């Protein structure tokens, strides 16, 4: 399932093209979602960053339930209200672990210790920054995702606040702006 190309820039470009293809489809493609998940979990940092961007784009376009359904994850009972993300050790996952939802995998990326925080270039293409921006988007667009319980909004906001005050992220202006916007949204614009 993994891409055979050894050059990181080619892998990144291929993943971005896959994401664009996924955005054009009416429903997410299982093989595409699997490839993006594998690249996020097992790829070099720059490849994982592009896979992360792509997965977030697909989640915000199709919705997290559609992405999970594409790879055969059974949806929980609608009356079940999830209050935490499932913590996954990404270093221990293998390519066949398809029973974990896309948001759980992405959120677990916040807790992986060996992502590289790079401030080089204009894009700040590193996984923690992309995750912060991505979950900020998900929080800001939360009314479009009724399948994400409101209890998880607090968990996302808490993580964004941790990122905001982190020493590693203090120079990442885009991430800081995303975190502040989410705080505005979370508190209905009243407290600021």
């Amino acid at each position: 399932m993994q891409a055979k190309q050894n050059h990181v820039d080619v892998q990144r470009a291929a993943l971005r093209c896959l994401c664009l293809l996924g955005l054009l489809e009416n429903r997410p493609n299982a093989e595409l979602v699997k490839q993006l998940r594998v690249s996020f979990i097992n790829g070099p940092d720059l490849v994982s960053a592009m896979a992360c961007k792509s997965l977030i784009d697909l989640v915000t376009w199709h919705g997290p339930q559609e992405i999970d359904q594409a790879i055969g994850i059974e949806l929980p009972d609608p009356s079940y209200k999830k209050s935490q993300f499932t913590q996954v050790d990404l270093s221990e996952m293998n390519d066949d672990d398809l029973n974990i939802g896309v948001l759980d995998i992405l959120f677990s990326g916040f807790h992986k210790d060996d992502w590289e925080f790079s401030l080089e270039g204009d894009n700040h293409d590193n996984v923690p920054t992309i995750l912060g921006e991505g979950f900020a988007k998900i929080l800001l667009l939360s009314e479009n995702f009724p399948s994400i319980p409101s209890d998880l909004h607090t968990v996302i906001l808490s993580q964004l606040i941790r990122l905001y005050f982190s020493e590693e992220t203090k120079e990442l202006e885009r991430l800081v702006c995303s975190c502040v916007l989410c705080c505005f949204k979370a508190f209905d614009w009243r407290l600021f």
Side-chain angles (χ1 to χ4, degrees):
M1 177 174 313
Q2 283 222 103
K4 301 293 181 193
Q5 179 54 248
N6 289 331
H7 197 277
V8 171
D9 289 334
V10 174
Q11 288 181 36
R12 290 177 64 218
L15 289 175
R16 193 64 193 153
C17 289
L18 283 174
C19 178
L20 293 173
L21 175 67
L23 294 175
L24 292 173
E25 294 181 332
N26 290 333
R27 302 194 63 125
N29 176 294
E31 289 304 313
L32 178 132
V33 172
K34 289 176 187 176
Q35 180 63 49
L36 291 174
R37 285 168 53 115
V38 167
S39 296
F40 174 67
I41 294 165
N42 297 328
D45 284 355
L46 290 174
V47 171
S48 291
M50 183 56 68
C52 182
K53 267 186 197 178
S54 299
L55 283 169
I56 288 170
D57 286 350
L58 290 176
V59 164
T60 56
W61 187 257
H62 293 293
Q65 282 189 325
E66 290 290 322
I67 301 297
D68 290 344
Q69 281 179 324
I71 60 171
I73 294 177
E74 291 186 33
L75 299 177
D77 183 339
S79 64
Y80 172 71
K81 294 296 182 193
K82 186 174 180 174
S83 62
Q84 291 292 324
F85 287 100
T86 303
Q87 291 298 313
V88 180
D89 184 355
L90 296 179
S91 304
E92 299 292 319
M93 284 189 71
N94 62 43
D95 299 350
D96 299 327
D97 282 334
L98 295 177
N99 60 340
I100 300 165
V102 66
L103 289 180
D104 292 318
I105 287 175
L106 289 171
F107 198 82
S108 293
F110 282 123
H111 304 290
K112 187 175 178 190
D113 294 331
D114 58 350
W115 296 125
E116 185 177 305
F117 257 109
S118 171
L119 299 176
E120 294 178 18
D122 293 333
N123 293 329
H124 304 303
D125 284 337
N126 57 63
V127 175
T129 302
I130 294 166
L131 285 171
E133 289 180 358
F135 276 97
K137 286 179 196 175
I138 290 168
L139 190 59
L140 288 169
L141 300 170
S142 61
E143 59 202 29
N144 296 342
F145 308 114
S147 65
I148 301 175
S150 58
D151 287 349
L152 290 180
H153 298 174
T154 308
V155 176
I156 294 170
L157 183 61
S158 298
Q159 182 61 44
L160 293 177
I161 290 170
R162 274 193 291 281
L163 279 176
Y164 179 81
F165 288 107
S166 169
E167 280 297 312
E168 295 173 316
T169 61
K170 69 180 178 182
E171 295 183 31
L172 301 176
E173 293 174 17
R174 281 186 354 196
L175 178 60
V176 169
C177 289
S178 297
C179 292
V180 169
L181 282 174
C182 283
C183 290
F184 280 137
K185 165 84 169 136
F187 296 109
D188 295 327
W189 308 96
R190 291 179 290 209
L191 299 179
F192 295 93

